[in-house]
Amino acid sequence: MAVEIEDNTYQVETEINSALALTLRLALEDVHRRSNPRTPLKDNGLRTSVLKTVVNSPMLQRGIIEWRVPYASYQERGMRADGTHVVKHYTTPGTGKEFAERSVKETMKNFGEIAKQAGLI
């Protein structure tokens, strides 16, 4: 008895990678949406300098969100890396340190819904 097997591995991998890339993109957009009202505003620099990137290669899938101004990490931590110059007062109401970290944590709590929306699960 002859048996014929059709290999759909490539198609399955392609569909999974596409859904994963979309999931990562949606997660990045969610982080940005959540963080924007909390992001300290200084001459439009910090809120408008956001770069979102999805790296989607066969061996590596990840999403990266960056606030691309020199003082972004200073604002996120609430002080300089060496512990000096602590930010005592954020001038924009409702903003403050850990604007990115808190937004990522909130997005991760909702990650299952994002993955479902993208067709990953």
Side-chain angles (χ1 to χ4, degrees):
M1 173 191 312
V3 176
E4 187 176 318
I5 298 173
E6 185 176 342
D7 185 1
N8 293 318
T9 304
Y10 179 77
Q11 180 183 357
V12 170
E13 286 177 348
T14 301
E15 288 178 20
I16 290 171
N17 283 335
S18 293
L20 180 55
L22 179 57
T23 302
L24 292 172
R25 171 58 62 189
L26 292 173
L28 290 173
E29 293 298 334
D30 192 61
V31 169
H32 188 203
R33 179 185 59 77
R34 291 173 186 272
S35 69
N36 210 39
R38 299 178 181 148
T39 303
L41 183 61
K42 180 182 177 185
D43 302 327
N44 292 329
L46 194 55
R47 288 187 185 179
T48 60
S49 68
V50 179
L51 176 66
K52 296 167 276 194
T53 307
V54 173
V55 177
N56 190 22
S57 64
M59 299 302 277
L60 173 71
Q61 292 85 18
R62 66 181 174 162
I64 304 164
I65 184 166
E66 300 173 89
W67 284 261
R68 298 189 52 113
V69 292
Y71 57 89
S73 62
Y74 175 30
Q75 293 291 319
E76 173 67 12
R77 281 191 310 271
M79 69 178 92
R80 288 191 179 161
D82 63 5
T84 63
H85 295 86
V86 175
V87 179
K88 294 179 180 150
H89 178 67
Y90 286 88
T91 57
T92 309
T95 66
K97 70 179 186 173
E98 298 176 352
F99 59 91
E101 184 177 338
R102 287 184 292 158
S103 299
V104 169
K105 286 179 180 179
E106 288 175 5
T107 295
M108 293 311 295
K109 287 179 185 175
N110 194 36
F111 195 78
E113 287 302 314
I114 294 170
K116 201 177 289 184
Q117 180 184 356
L120 186 62
I121 55 174

